[in-house]
Amino acid sequence: MSLKKGPGSMELGECTRNPGYQDVEGGGSAAETVSADPGEKHDSAAPKLDSDAAEEYTQIKPYAGMPKEVLLQYSSQARYRVPREILFWLTVACTLVLVALTITVIALSPRCLQWWQASPVYQVYPRSFKDSNGDGVGDLKGIQEQLDHFLYLKVKSVWISPFYLSPMKDFGYDVEDFRAVDPLFGTMRDFEELLAEMHNKGLKLIMDFIPNHTSDRHRWFNLSRTRDPHYEDYYVWTDCNATAPRPNNWVSVFGNSSWTYDDVRGQCYLHQFLKEQPDLNFRNPNVYKEMTDIIHFWLEKGVDGFRMDAVKHMLEATHLRDEPQVDPSKPAESVKTEFDLHHDYTYTQLGLHDLLRGWRAVLDVYSREPGKYRFMVMESYDYQEVEKTMMYYGTPLVRESDFPFNFYLLYLPQNTSGLWVKDLVHLWMANMPKGKWPNWVVGNHDKPRIASSASQIYIRVINMLLLTLPGTPTTYYGEEIGMENINVTNSQIQDPAGKYNASASRDPGRSPMQWSGDMNAGFNIKTNSTWLPVHPDYRSVNVEVQKKDEGSVLAQYRFLNTLRQSELPLHRGWFCYVHADASVFSYLRELDGLDQAFLMVLNFGKESATTDLSSIRELPDQLKVLMSTNQINNGKVLQKSRVLTEAGEGLVIRYSTHTRFNPNHPEQCYVSEKACYLSAMDILYKC
Ligand code: GLC
């Protein structure tokens, strides 16, 4: 039987009809007719309940559609109320447990690694990477054509050296307009397309930002030398003698005085690099604001980070006193190079970090967009003063860069020995503020190529070192295939530093990327022109050939980078020194809670070596080689008392253990972004 109540009627099916229910169109509700209060005054217009119906009504069960009072009458009975209350409190308890669990999981979850931690930073020198239009100079479209190379390498972060409008006196590090792309490299549209395509492919673009100086062709400099009131103090000017323009003994990084007389203004201006690169005056707040606006400009375009160029030079002492000579007995006139002076008044001046932290704060604002962390890395060569470099990490309270470049491995070729490499690594690890993220550089556009300075036999083991140390490795284009320096004759020199001093020329490490055995190594396949000569070894040392060879430098780079990203101990585990001697540097990577760990045995020496690791009781007696730079040793099982390596050979050994090394040797171990593994749940947690 069914009860019809017009359009919204409710089906009661075969159940007992509820006689208390009546459809009262436009009148009082049925509930009014079943008031439990006998004394209650009834609406005379309302239908009444006769006693039969009332009896029938008390025998029915409470079904939906009953009047409220009827429902209440049943619902207050213990047999309905108690289960309901139990259910209610159960729901409350479950919700609380879920909330507590979520909070615990969030609180215990370690931070995910950011993109700049997960991948190496690959440096593209745009003049030399890929020439798309055949003018002999690489360009933005060329980079775009080669994006799959990064995917092949499993590299995510790409730093592109400057492509701003520039007279190219220092190949782009002399900027005429910070908001324009130089036509040699393409157009702003090319840049936007490149960036969009990179983001499409999951790649991040890091730009160079050059705060210390502009080109002498920059509009600001012209306005400054003509004493436009707003721009008058945009640069560092001082009175000087026009014929002997040396207001003090300060010298340029490229050699000779850092002052040049400007006959338009009739004063000297400061330039810590070329005379065509006048230093901006950051004591003038308008300069800081201008440069901050430029950061906004590129962040709004969507760039993912900046490599901050030559930051230690940004401020100078206003008193302009002479700097102390390193050798006080040297005649003042022969003080000409950067290394002749202690740079007490020109490098790392008080206030520098405030400027940089201000920029960090700007990047942080843009980093709040989900998945859009904006990265910042500093370039500062502080040589022996490592503590100065560490300042760029910021303090526990104020963040600065994500890391300053670690240039200490550039010294590796000075002495290829295991102990030396360990010392260089240790210099960084021991001085880095706790919890910060390390990084490693073996080459860039300012330095000779590592495969040449350390010798080709070490290139594989050096790549292995970079990709198995904790932190972010940096790869200068070509290092992944072992490219070497080219020979540049004096008449071929392009680099301004080389024109001043041929032995300081940076050209040898800037030759065109070797893509294939085709014309110009595939760098320019349109015309027979390249801005610097291609290395003559390009027919055997190139990407195409090495892709086909499983044992190539390229294949090993790719394997190690893939391993680094897929193995927890390698990307966020402990790093512990195990052994170092004249040949071998050995360390392990392990993660608390995980039974799988990695041991690296790297021979930087000049001869083969047998390393005895039997005193390391946390290692199993037998060690199986996962990968050797010498392919034939892959898979070999070695006794830990006799680990044999040849000169330039590196081994990655994967082993299982229940005993971790780090708890017993805390003084030999470091960890950043610490996490522990819970095998029962296959998760990482904070520990
Ligand atoms: C940085 C660059 C270098 C340039 C200099 C001046 O050190 O790496 O190439 O010459 O700054 O901008």
Side-chain angles (χ1 to χ4, degrees):
M1 150 187 147
S2 70
L3 177 82
K4 295 271 184 293
K5 189 196 171 238
S9 71
M10 195 166 291
E11 289 286 326
L12 293 182
E14 293 308 309
C15 304
T16 313
R17 185 175 191 269
N18 178 358
Y21 182 83
Q22 296 197 18
D23 189 11
V24 186
E25 277 287 349
S29 76
E32 288 169 26
T33 67
V34 291
S35 168
D37 182 354
E40 194 179 316
K41 205 174 135 219
H42 289 166
D43 183 343
S44 57
K48 296 215 168 23
L49 200 63
D50 61 36
S51 57
D52 289 352
E55 186 155 328
E56 188 184 345
Y57 156 74
T58 53
Q59 288 162 9
I60 61 166
K61 298 207 171 90
Y63 288 106
M66 281 180 164
K68 193 168 101 197
E69 283 73 7
V70 181
L71 276 171
L72 284 175
Q73 189 184 345
Y74 285 99
S75 65
S76 53
Q77 291 174 9
R79 61 183 162 139
Y80 295 114
R81 188 173 41 78
V82 173
R84 196 177 60 236
E85 281 177 5
I86 290 176
L87 272 179
F88 171 77
W89 288 114
L90 259 179
T91 313
V92 170
C94 287
T95 311
L96 288 178
V97 168
L98 269 179
V99 170
L101 259 177
T102 312
I103 293 174
T104 318
V105 166
I106 292 173
L108 287 186
S109 294
R111 240 167 40 102
C112 289
L113 292 189
Q114 292 281 356
W115 55 266
W116 50 272
Q117 298 174 301
S119 152
V121 170
Y122 186 104
Q123 184 190 355
V124 168
Y125 194 62
R127 291 182 76 82
S128 306
F129 200 59
K130 172 77 189 184
D131 175 12
S132 75
N133 61 2
D135 65 358
V137 177
D139 44 49
L140 297 180
K141 274 203 156 67
I143 300 173
Q144 190 167 338
E145 282 172 16
Q146 299 297 344
L147 291 183
D148 286 347
H149 184 58
F150 306 127
L151 301 185
Y152 177 79
L153 293 176
K154 307 245 187 298
V155 159
K156 233 179 189 279
S157 317
V158 183
W159 154 34
I160 307 180
S161 291
F163 44 83
Y164 302 106
L165 183 68
S166 160
M168 300 292 163
K169 294 285 182 213
D170 190 13
F171 297 125
Y173 283 96
D174 47 326
V175 181
E176 185 176 334
D177 184 348
F178 287 102
R179 290 184 173 81
V181 170
D182 196 280
L184 199 59
F185 296 126
T187 61
M188 186 57 88
R189 208 197 165 116
D190 292 341
F191 168 76
E192 285 160 359
E193 278 177 20
L194 170 65
L195 181 62
E197 192 53 21
M198 285 181 68
H199 284 171
N200 257 341
K201 292 183 183 278
L203 301 169
K204 304 285 184 181
L205 193 157
I206 302 162
M207 279 183 71
D208 239 290
F209 183 68
I210 304 154
N212 178 63
H213 46 266
T214 67
S215 156
D216 60 347
R217 298 243 299 260
H218 197 289
R219 195 177 65 92
W220 301 338
F221 189 67
N222 283 321
L223 291 164
S224 192
R225 72 208 301 209
T226 52
R227 290 187 184 271
D228 177 290
H230 182 76
Y231 294 94
E232 198 170 350
D233 294 332
Y234 263 46
Y235 295 83
V236 182
W237 295 96
T238 191
D239 290 335
C240 65
N241 179 340
T243 43
R246 237 192 136 175
N248 61 23
N249 72 346
W250 296 359
V251 289
S252 149
V253 172
F254 291 142
N256 289 336
S257 171
S258 52
W259 296 97
T260 290
Y261 180 76
D262 177 54
D263 44 12
V264 176
R265 176 148 161 166
Q267 276 191 311
C268 276
Y269 63 88
L270 178 76
H271 53 87
Q272 296 196 57
F273 292 90
L274 295 176
K275 70 175 177 15
E276 293 87 355
Q277 292 170 299
D279 267 42
L280 283 164
N281 174 18
F282 276 94
R283 308 259 172 218
N284 179 342
N286 291 327
V287 170
Y288 187 67
K289 182 165 181 321
E290 294 265 16
M291 295 308 280
T292 309
D293 288 349
I294 290 159
I295 293 183
H296 280 283
F297 174 84
W298 290 102
L299 287 175
E300 251 139 53
K301 288 214 173 279
V303 302
D304 301 286
F306 295 101
R307 175 256 190 198
M308 311 300 248
D309 181 79
V311 285
K312 72 176 184 190
H313 300 272
M314 280 171 62
L315 289 172
E316 303 77 27
T318 48
H319 54 60
L320 306 187
R321 287 205 292 268
D322 276 358
E323 292 191 316
Q325 289 184 200
V326 171
D327 174 2
S329 64
K330 200 169 179 173
E333 341 48 274
S334 60
V335 167
K336 288 192 169 145
T337 81
E338 187 189 4
F339 302 101
D340 288 333
L341 294 173
H342 293 293
H343 297 279
D344 294 358
Y345 307 138
T346 50
Y347 296 179
T348 326
Q349 297 296 290
L350 200 66
L352 168 66
H353 291 284
D354 295 329
L355 299 177
L356 298 171
R357 287 168 195 176
W359 287 336
R360 168 80 255 173
V362 173
L363 265 67
D364 283 347
V365 170
Y366 288 81
S367 301
R368 283 186 211 133
E369 293 171 46
K372 281 264 170 197
Y373 185 83
R374 313 296 174 112
F375 164 75
M376 188 183 195
V377 53
M378 303 297 186
E379 184 218 28
S380 179
Y381 289 91
D382 297 301
Y383 305 104
Q384 316 315 327
E385 300 172 291
V386 61
E387 65 289 346
K388 284 197 175 161
T389 307
M390 296 302 167
M391 291 288 290
Y392 296 102
Y393 273 116
T395 67
L397 293 180
V398 194
R399 272 158 36 76
E400 202 170 310
S401 64
D402 294 295
F403 51 72
F405 273 137
N406 169 3
F407 293 127
Y408 290 105
L409 283 183
L410 290 167
Y411 297 107
L412 189 149
Q414 283 180 9
N415 174 6
T416 45
S417 88
L419 273 167
W420 176 240
V421 177
K422 183 198 162 181
D423 285 352
L424 296 176
V425 168
H426 187 64
L427 187 62
W428 195 267
M429 299 311 284
N431 286 287
M432 187 180 69
K434 198 162 178 280
K436 293 293 179 182
W437 188 255
N439 76 100
W440 312 95
V441 177
V442 290
N444 60 34
H445 63 292
D446 292 328
K447 301 291 166 194
R449 284 195 173 274
I450 192 77
S452 299
S453 48
S455 146
Q456 180 67 240
I457 69 156
Y458 298 107
I459 185 66
R460 292 161 188 265
V461 73
I462 288 172
N463 281 340
M464 185 176 271
L465 173 77
L466 290 188
L467 291 160
T468 55
L469 282 174
T472 300
T474 307
T475 295
Y476 179 51
Y477 81 93
E479 278 168 9
E480 74 278 29
I481 53 171
M483 268 175 69
E484 293 197 52
N485 289 337
I486 51 164
N487 288 325
V488 179
T489 62
N490 282 358
S491 64
Q492 285 172 322
I493 290 183
Q494 305 276 334
D495 179 27
K499 286 179 184 162
Y500 170 74
N501 168 8
S503 69
S505 172
R506 295 168 294 179
D507 292 333
R510 296 177 173 179
S511 67
M513 175 68 180
Q514 294 162 210
W515 294 106
S516 68
D518 298 342
M519 78 189 268
N520 302 321
F523 163 73
N524 167 11
I525 50 169
K526 296 200 167 139
T527 62
N528 206 3
S529 135
T530 59
W531 78 284
L532 278 174
V534 169
H535 197 287
D537 72 5
Y538 78 92
R539 284 202 180 76
S540 54
V541 180
N542 69 60
V543 173
E544 195 177 79
V545 162
Q546 293 198 11
K547 268 189 178 175
K548 292 181 194 141
D549 173 2
E550 271 181 29
S552 66
V553 179
L554 180 67
Q556 292 188 350
Y557 182 99
R558 186 168 184 255
F559 175 85
L560 287 166
N561 194 25
T562 312
L563 190 73
R564 175 182 180 275
Q565 288 172 44
S566 59
E567 294 291 344
L568 277 172
L570 289 179
H571 59 256
R572 63 186 315 162
W574 286 93
F575 161 74
C576 303
Y577 305 116
V578 165
H579 177 93
D581 61 28
S583 301
V584 167
F585 175 35
S586 176
Y587 50 92
L588 58 81
R589 304 295 311 277
E590 64 181 14
L591 190 91
D592 294 319
L594 193 69
D595 286 349
Q596 188 148 280
F598 291 86
L599 171 75
M600 267 57 67
V601 184
L602 311 182
N603 186 337
F604 289 99
K606 296 183 179 56
E607 283 155 21
S608 51
T610 305
T611 311
D612 179 4
L613 298 176
S614 50
S615 62
I616 320 291
R617 60 186 174 81
E618 291 84 355
L619 291 175
D621 290 339
Q622 295 204 326
L623 300 167
K624 186 167 175 194
V625 176
L626 175 68
M627 181 206 151
S628 164
T629 52
N630 186 359
Q631 222 190 344
I632 54 163
N633 291 332
N634 288 354
K636 265 204 180 144
V637 177
L638 308 169
Q639 295 303 315
K640 78 168 166 180
S641 55
R642 291 185 53 79
V643 181
L644 183 70
T645 48
E646 289 153 29
E649 183 178 8
L651 307 177
V652 174
I653 290 160
R654 181 158 52 194
Y655 64 96
S656 289
T657 174
H658 296 300
T659 1
R660 240 62 65 191
F661 182 85
N662 74 79
N664 304 327
H665 309 269
E667 70 297 341
Q668 283 168 246
C669 298
Y670 296 89
V671 70
S672 306
E673 304 282 353
K674 189 174 174 219
C676 296
Y677 182 72
L678 187 62
S679 54
M681 293 177 76
D682 189 21
I683 56 161
L684 275 182
Y685 63 96
K686 248 188 228 156
C687 50

